[in-house]
Amino acid sequence: LFKFNEKPPQPNSNMVYHYKTGDARPELPAGEDALVLFESKFCPFCQRVVLALNQRGIPYQSVYINLSAKPEWFAEINPGGKVPVLMMGSQRLVDSLMICRYVDELPSGGVSEAQLCSNADAERLALAWLGEFFPPMHDLMTRPDEAPEKLEQVTAAMRQFGERLGPKPFIGGAQSVGLADLIAYPAVAIATGLASVLDCPEPAASDTALAGWLSEMQAVKATSAATKPVEWGAFLKSLRAGNPDYSV
């Protein structure tokens, strides 16, 4: 289904290769029904799409992009240079939320999977929280000199998330996992990974509501495909040092 041109050898089964500047373009599967996701293992916006696809049991092929040194041919896939991009034959979607909502309407290819729980209020809550979380988190990831002030803001955002969680098990009190949960989960994984880098308490260490939600999310099958906090920690350490390592 999918062949790579001169794909470098993989040192271990857990590592995925991120195409970088100078790499040949892979040969993509033919057919209007084939789904190809251009993503990065270390992008929370890509992660929400990965989780949505896996939760629905929909087959797809990933092509990983090194965001610090993008291959020249990626400009043909998305002139804006951003991931994720979901390609379906000649069609392309480039917004992560749009992709997730599109994914939820797709047939699951024979796999018996329910659609994601739809809860507009829960999705608005998650998106509003992410708007508060990501700016200081991005600064923590890329500007080590601003760590004390930004860490306080991230800690406050995590505390607010715990306070906004509805009754268990999922965001908004839903009884099954929804898009709101899938878009929030990667951010919490990042925060947990960064805690190890900064040697500070993990977000759920003293928050019962957040710890309960994380426990529920870790039982959801889709999260097995998520980038693990330990992997985020290793990547964030390299990113903060100014030399992002996509091979961790």
Side-chain angles (χ1 to χ4, degrees), residues 155-175:
T155 302
M158 294 304 302
R159 184 170 58 251
Q160 290 167 4
F161 181 61
E163 293 170 353
R164 293 175 186 176
L165 285 170
K168 290 197 304 181
F170 299 104
I171 296 176
Q175 294 302 307

Side-chain angles (χ1 to χ4, degrees), residues 41-42 44 47 129 133-134 137 140-141 151 154 158 184-205 210 214 218 226-240 248:
K41 183 178 178 180
F42 300 104
Q47 282 281 289
W129 172 70
F133 171 86
F134 272 126
M137 174 56 74
L140 266 179
M141 291 164 62
L151 179 59
V154 168
M158 294 304 302
Y185 186 80
V188 178
I190 295 174
T192 303
L194 189 60
S196 66
V197 175
L198 298 177
D199 193 24
C200 61
E202 292 189 3
L210 182 55
L214 275 174
Q218 287 163 358
T227 300
K228 306 298 186 289
V230 65
E231 295 171 319
W232 274 112
F235 175 74
L236 294 173
K237 184 176 181 179
S238 71
L239 181 64
R240 285 165 59 82
V248 296

Side-chain angles (χ1 to χ4, degrees), residues 6-248:
E6 301 178 4
K7 182 180 178 181
Q10 305 297 288
N12 62 67
S13 60
N14 295 322
M15 184 186 127
V16 295
Y17 182 73
H18 284 68
Y19 282 86
K20 63 183 185 303
T21 303
D23 284 346
R25 176 174 176 165
E27 295 179 13
L28 304 180
E32 290 297 314
D33 294 332
L35 294 183
V36 180
L37 178 64
F38 294 86
E39 60 159 314
S40 170
K41 183 178 178 180
F42 300 104
C43 171
F45 302 101
C46 295
Q47 282 281 289
R48 62 176 62 159
V49 175
V50 168
L51 297 184
L53 284 162
N54 282 277
Q55 182 64 18
R56 293 291 326 286
I58 295 171
Y60 67 98
Q61 178 66 55
S62 285
V63 177
Y64 295 89
I65 304 298
N66 184 320
L67 301 181
S68 298
K70 299 168 191 170
E72 294 82 354
W73 49 260
F74 186 61
E76 300 173 20
I77 305 297
N78 182 12
K82 294 183 178 181
V83 291
V85 179
L86 185 65
M87 178 181 289
M88 308 143 289
S90 59
Q91 301 180 58
R92 296 167 195 176
L93 289 176
V94 297
D95 178 81
S96 63
L97 286 175
M98 184 183 298
I99 295 173
C100 285
R101 290 180 176 126
Y102 174 82
V103 164
D104 200 34
E105 298 298 323
L106 287 173
S108 59
V111 180
S112 179
E113 295 292 343
Q115 288 183 304
L116 292 170
C117 177
S118 179
N119 185 326
D121 289 338
E123 291 173 23
R124 280 193 291 269
L125 182 153
L127 290 172
W129 172 70
L130 288 169
E132 299 167 0
F133 171 86
F134 272 126
M137 174 56 74
H138 182 268
D139 288 342
L140 266 179
M141 291 164 62
T142 58
R143 301 176 184 175
D145 56 313
E146 297 187 13
E149 176 187 353
K150 300 303 180 182
L151 179 59
E152 183 177 338
Q153 294 178 25
V154 168
T155 302
M158 294 304 302
R159 184 170 58 251
Q160 290 167 4
F161 181 61
E163 293 170 353
R164 293 175 186 176
L165 285 170
K168 290 197 304 181
F170 299 104
I171 296 176
Q175 294 302 307
S176 59
V177 67
L179 179 58
D181 302 286
L182 299 185
I183 66 175
Y185 186 80
V188 178
I190 295 174
T192 303
L194 189 60
S196 66
V197 175
L198 298 177
D199 193 24
C200 61
E202 292 189 3
S206 60
D207 190 314
T208 303
L210 182 55
W213 176 77
L214 275 174
S215 178
E216 295 286 353
M217 287 300 294
Q218 287 163 358
V220 172
K221 74 165 192 173
T223 58
S224 64
T227 300
K228 306 298 186 289
V230 65
E231 295 171 319
W232 274 112
F235 175 74
L236 294 173
K237 184 176 181 179
S238 71
L239 181 64
R240 285 165 59 82
N243 186 29
D245 182 2
Y246 286 86
S247 68
V248 296

